[in-house]
Every structure is written in C-alpha cells, then in structure tokens.
Amino acid sequence: MGFRILELGFGRNRSGLLRSVILISIVSALLALTLPNLANAQASDVVDLLVSQRSEARVAELLEELGGHAVPRPHIWMGELNSYWLWFDHNMARRAAHADSLRAAEAQVIAAAQALGMNPIQWRKFAAEEQGVFLEHYKEVFWRAIGTPHPSDTLATSHFRARLNNVFGAPTRNAAAMEQEGYAGSDYVQFEYWLIANDSIPVLVLDLDGPFGRGLLIASDEAFIDDFPVLKDDLIERILDSSPVPFADYYNSLERDQWYRTGFDGTEYFVRETRRPRWANRRSREEKWRIFR
C-alpha cells in the first residue's frame, strides 16, 4: 500500500518535476551562451594556480636535494623552472667557487715561486707520524716527476739512500712500515721521503728499483713545474754534500719475485735475499695512507 501511495504521489508531481528540469536546462544554456569563456577562464586560473603552487613546492624540494642555493636568476615564468635549470644554476655556482679557489691557489704559487728564487730553499721532512697532516694538506695534488737531467742520475740509489739518511733521517715510509709504525708502505717501493720546500711546495723522493736502481724519483706538485729544475738541483746538491750513514731497509722486488734486506753498514753496501717477512702478510690496505702516483 505504501509503495502505491509513493508511486501515485510521484505520478501526480511528474509534470511539475519535468517543468523544473526543463527550466534549469534552459537557464544553463543561456548562461553558456552569454558567458562562453567564464567557465574556461575560471578553470584555467585554477589549473594555473595549482601548477604554480606545485612548481614552487618542487623548487624547494630540489634545492634541498641539491644541498645549496641556486644563483639568483631573473624572474621567469614558473613553467620554465625545471630540474635542468636548477642543476645548471647550482653547478655554475660551484664552478664559480672553484674558480675563486684556483685564483687564490695560483696567487699562493706565484708568491712561493718568487720566494724560491730570492732566498735559500728551506727543506723539512714529514715524519712517519705526520702522514695524516701531509695527506690532509696535499691530498688533491697532481704529482709530476721532475725529469730535469742531472749528472748524478747514474749514481746507485743506495748511495742516495745513505746520504738521505744523513740529511733527513729515516724515511717517512719504507717497506717495513707495517712492522715499525702500523701503516702500510707502498707496494714494491723501498723508501719514501715526504718533504716540503719553503713550507709551501710538497716534494716526494722515492727509489726507482730498490738497491738495483740508479738515481731517484723526485716528484712535486705540477703547479710548481716552472720551479722543478731549481728544486731538484738544490735537493741533489744537499744530498751529495753529505756523507753516507748506516741504514737498513727491506725491498720487495716485483720483477724478481723476491724480498731483499739491503742497506749500508758504515763500510759497504749490501743486498741479501731474505724470506718474506711475517709482518708483510699483515699489511693494512687502508686507502687513506696512499699517495696515488
């Protein structure tokens, strides 16, 4: 019975409802005709607003991801501010900072070179326990061998080593470094002297083939390449002006696949085959102690 009453009621009001629907349709059509662009304009404004808000939020996210601030740029339409431009601006800022640091380093090099030509060179060796300090200051150095020929280049390396021991004392590193100091020496290198000239120019002095080599491998920061001849001549002169003093090193020859005990006993130089030392099997591979050549 209730269903029939509802159905009858709906039937009685059907004509009125139909007239209301028609009226609403006509008004909507008139509004569409009279204001054809109003709806599109409002919708466009909303979309633009949402896009703009999202762009601003993304900009903030990207800047946070980059870990810095982009270089200020002229005002542009937000649609152009994409990840590429953010990367570009950030990269340009880093390049500018790097260029500034290079100019400062170049000024320091020039000042050091001028001092090098005007005053006697002051040399200092870094001791084994100072390796961390040396690497912290010169870890970004591009090392280059000083190839300037010298008459002493044919002298046996062992004679240089004995005189270096007089001028600078024990090497900064040698093959027995793991046993003596707890850090790894360079593979297949008998000794390394880490020096600094005039408190500004780093210099490395190494053997070429242990007791079987001749001359020395001398390297420095390539930024001072114009001063290489002066550096080498002064260093070699100091070494040769000194007398040999006793020393003893281990040397691991890659070519001969053999360990040697070598040195100077105060009377003669010696090279003796030896077993692989026990400490050589425990050598650390800690990369922070490495100078890559």
Side-chain angles (χ1 to χ4, degrees):
M1 179 67 67
F3 176 76
R4 289 181 59 84
I5 293 173
L6 177 61
E7 184 180 5
L8 290 174
F10 177 76
R12 287 193 297 268
N13 296 326
R14 182 177 297 175
S15 59
L17 178 61
L18 181 61
R19 285 195 298 270
S20 298
V21 170
I22 294 174
L23 179 60
I24 291 172
S25 300
I26 293 173
V27 171
S28 299
L30 290 174
L31 287 173
L33 291 174
T34 56
L35 299 172
N37 296 322
L38 180 59
N40 289 336
Q42 291 176 339
S44 177
D45 290 343
V46 172
V47 171
D48 289 343
L49 178 61
L50 294 175
V51 170
S52 176
Q53 290 175 343
R54 179 54 190 153
S55 297
E56 291 176 357
R58 184 56 182 154
V59 167
E61 293 171 0
L62 288 172
L63 283 175
E64 184 176 356
E65 292 173 4
L66 290 172
H69 301 283
V71 175
R73 303 173 67 239
H75 177 72
I76 58 173
W77 179 54
M78 193 60 94
E80 296 178 12
L81 234 176
N82 53 33
S83 58
Y84 169 77
W85 283 112
L86 288 171
W87 170 86
F88 178 81
D89 288 342
H90 182 69
N91 194 46
M92 290 302 293
R94 292 179 59 186
R95 286 174 178 267
H98 181 62
D100 291 341
S101 66
L102 287 179
R103 281 192 290 270
E106 184 178 0
Q108 183 179 5
V109 168
I110 292 174
Q114 291 174 345
L116 191 64
M118 293 169 24
N119 303 305
I121 300 176
Q122 302 297 319
W123 293 92
R124 184 174 78 85
K125 183 201 76 176
F126 278 77
E129 59 271 17
E130 296 181 290
Q131 287 183 81
V133 176
F134 186 94
L135 292 175
E136 180 64 27
H137 281 83
Y138 304 112
K139 61 185 176 181
E140 300 298 335
V141 163
F142 289 98
W143 298 101
R144 177 174 292 190
I146 301 178
T148 308
H150 192 278
S152 66
D153 288 342
T154 58
L155 183 66
T157 302
S158 294
H159 292 266
F160 280 107
R161 171 68 177 87
R163 288 168 170 80
L164 279 164
N165 210 44
N166 189 354
V167 179
F168 297 111
T172 306
R173 288 184 181 179
N174 56 22
M178 183 61 189
E179 179 186 40
Q180 297 171 357
E181 304 293 343
Y183 59 82
S186 299
D187 292 336
Y188 312 108
V189 175
Q190 179 185 329
F191 61 87
E192 299 182 21
Y193 282 87
W194 297 5
L195 310 175
I196 186 168
N198 289 353
D199 293 324
S200 58
I201 307 176
V203 177
L204 300 179
V205 180
L206 304 87
D207 64 280
L208 291 167
D209 185 18
F212 308 104
R214 294 187 177 275
L216 293 169
L217 172 58
I218 303 175
S220 184
D221 185 346
E222 67 175 17
F224 296 90
I225 191 169
D226 292 338
D227 302 308
F228 279 8
V230 177
L231 287 169
K232 181 175 180 178
D233 288 345
D234 187 88
L235 181 59
I236 294 296
E237 182 179 352
R238 289 172 183 268
I239 295 172
L240 296 181
D241 283 347
S242 64
S243 301
V245 298
F247 76 93
D249 284 335
Y250 282 95
Y251 176 61
N252 182 16
S253 174
L254 175 63
E255 179 182 352
R256 302 165 186 82
D257 191 24
Q258 177 65 51
W259 278 86
Y260 296 90
R261 184 69 168 166
T262 181
F264 177 64
D265 61 11
T267 303
E268 63 179 1
Y269 295 89
F270 62 88
V271 181
R272 305 187 185 102
E273 291 187 359
T274 185
R275 293 183 180 183
R276 179 184 181 88
R278 294 181 182 277
W279 47 259
N281 297 322
R282 304 191 302 269
R283 294 183 64 189
S284 168
R285 295 300 173 187
E286 186 68 52
E287 290 297 324
K288 70 178 182 179
W289 298 117
R290 304 255 173 212
I291 292 181
F292 294 95
R293 294 181 290 278

